[in-house]
Amino acid sequence: MLEGYAADAAGFVLPMLRPGDRVIDVGCGQGAVTLSLGTATHPLRVVGVEADYGEVTAARKAAVRAAVSTVDFVASDLASLPFSTASIDVAFSSGLLERHPNPRDVIVELSRVLRPGGLLAVSTVDWSKAKLRPKTANVDAALRGRQLLHRRSGGDPFAGRRVAEWVERAGFREVRARARYRQDIGYRELARRVESELASAIQTDDGARDQQLASAARSAWMWVRDGSGDFSQCWMEVLATR
């Protein structure tokens, strides 16, 4: 994931976890944030859910290395979770909704598995509010290309704009949203990641060259070499009650 996982991605929900809670982390990746949830209080049981079985395997190995026995990981369709209706106390997700082709379906599914009065905690990016200094013409062009690539893969780089609305429409109550800026990766590292993603996507399936992405990749190449700067990503954090 371009935005990366930070150890404090679950910081907005950790103080709300209570002993005995049944917690899920949907779209958990390799489990870094799931492990922080699993050690938040005792006793607590956390299940990380990821569609990619390889990621689940890596997450299980990470839990063993960290000696965290309060977490488990399962592979599943993220819009059709392997949990009974009204069986979960806290449903958490970070960095998923901007990548999933049907984020509203995921939110509806989280509503299904949460018990009445259960807590929803989701966090997703809004690239329109990202802070980059300097923000040159090359930076703008490279990010536009990367956002095009993001949309082509079925995601929404501006999902943070609408996440509170999606949660309200799914029937949640007491919806609270706030923007938080995080410096998960540096300015130059962001440039390198964007350049790598665009360069890998230039060749189309029929062997042709995608000129729009090629132009964005050239801008990213220049961005990498333009020098250092500052980058903070805007994450929209939403808490709501089932």
Side-chain angles (χ1 to χ4, degrees):
M1 187 176 86
L2 180 62
E3 291 77 31
Y5 277 109
D8 68 342
F12 71 111
V13 70
L14 292 180
M16 308 186 77
L17 299 180
R18 299 291 179 263
D21 277 348
R22 295 157 295 176
V23 183
I24 56 174
D25 178 8
V26 180
C28 66
Q30 296 188 13
V33 179
T34 319
L35 296 179
S36 71
L37 292 168
T39 56
T41 187
H42 182 79
L44 190 71
R45 194 69 191 173
V46 184
V47 179
V49 189
E50 180 55 60
D52 186 319
Y53 189 79
E55 297 275 85
V56 169
T57 299
R60 288 172 176 164
K61 291 179 180 178
V64 171
R65 288 194 301 269
V68 178
S69 60
T70 56
V71 302
D72 194 7
F73 297 92
V74 298
S76 171
D77 179 345
L78 303 183
S80 182
L81 299 171
F83 306 109
S84 300
T85 298
S87 64
I88 301 298
D89 297 299
V90 180
F92 171 82
S93 182
S94 179
L96 168 65
L97 299 180
E98 71 270 17
R99 295 182 289 121
H100 199 280
N102 299 297
R104 285 170 288 185
D105 290 351
V106 173
I107 293 172
V108 169
E109 180 66 354
L110 295 178
S111 175
R112 180 189 69 80
V113 301
L114 275 170
R115 64 167 175 79
L119 177 67
L120 175 74
V122 294
S123 177
T124 189
V125 299
D126 181 356
W127 274 97
S128 71
K129 294 181 179 177
K131 296 179 179 178
L132 295 104
R133 299 184 183 88
K135 193 175 184 183
T136 66
N138 283 324
V139 172
D140 274 334
L143 288 178
R144 283 196 301 271
R146 200 276 160 179
Q147 289 159 9
L148 173 62
L149 194 60
H150 192 154
R151 291 191 181 95
R152 287 181 181 178
S153 68
D156 179 359
F158 308 128
R161 292 177 177 176
R162 303 179 61 193
V163 62
E165 174 192 343
W166 295 337
V167 169
E168 288 178 351
R169 289 190 175 186
F172 284 90
R173 301 177 289 109
E174 301 172 6
V175 178
R176 293 146 284 167
R178 71 165 188 175
R180 182 159 72 104
Y181 283 87
R182 299 200 327 237
Q183 296 177 321
D184 298 339
I185 62 174
Y187 183 85
R188 291 285 293 276
E189 176 62 20
L190 174 65
R192 293 188 187 98
R193 292 194 190 186
V194 172
E195 180 190 23
S196 176
E197 286 196 10
L198 291 171
S200 298
I202 288 172
Q203 295 300 125
T204 63
D205 291 340
D206 60 4
R209 186 176 176 85
D210 188 312
Q211 295 302 322
Q212 191 170 5
L213 293 183
S215 176
R218 287 192 294 271
S219 293
W221 186 90
M222 293 297 296
W223 175 12
V224 170
R225 288 147 186 84
D226 278 345
S228 60
D230 298 308
F231 167 58
S232 296
Q233 180 58 282
C234 178
W235 290 81
M236 292 302 301
E237 298 175 340
V238 175
L239 294 169
T241 303
R242 172 69 176 91

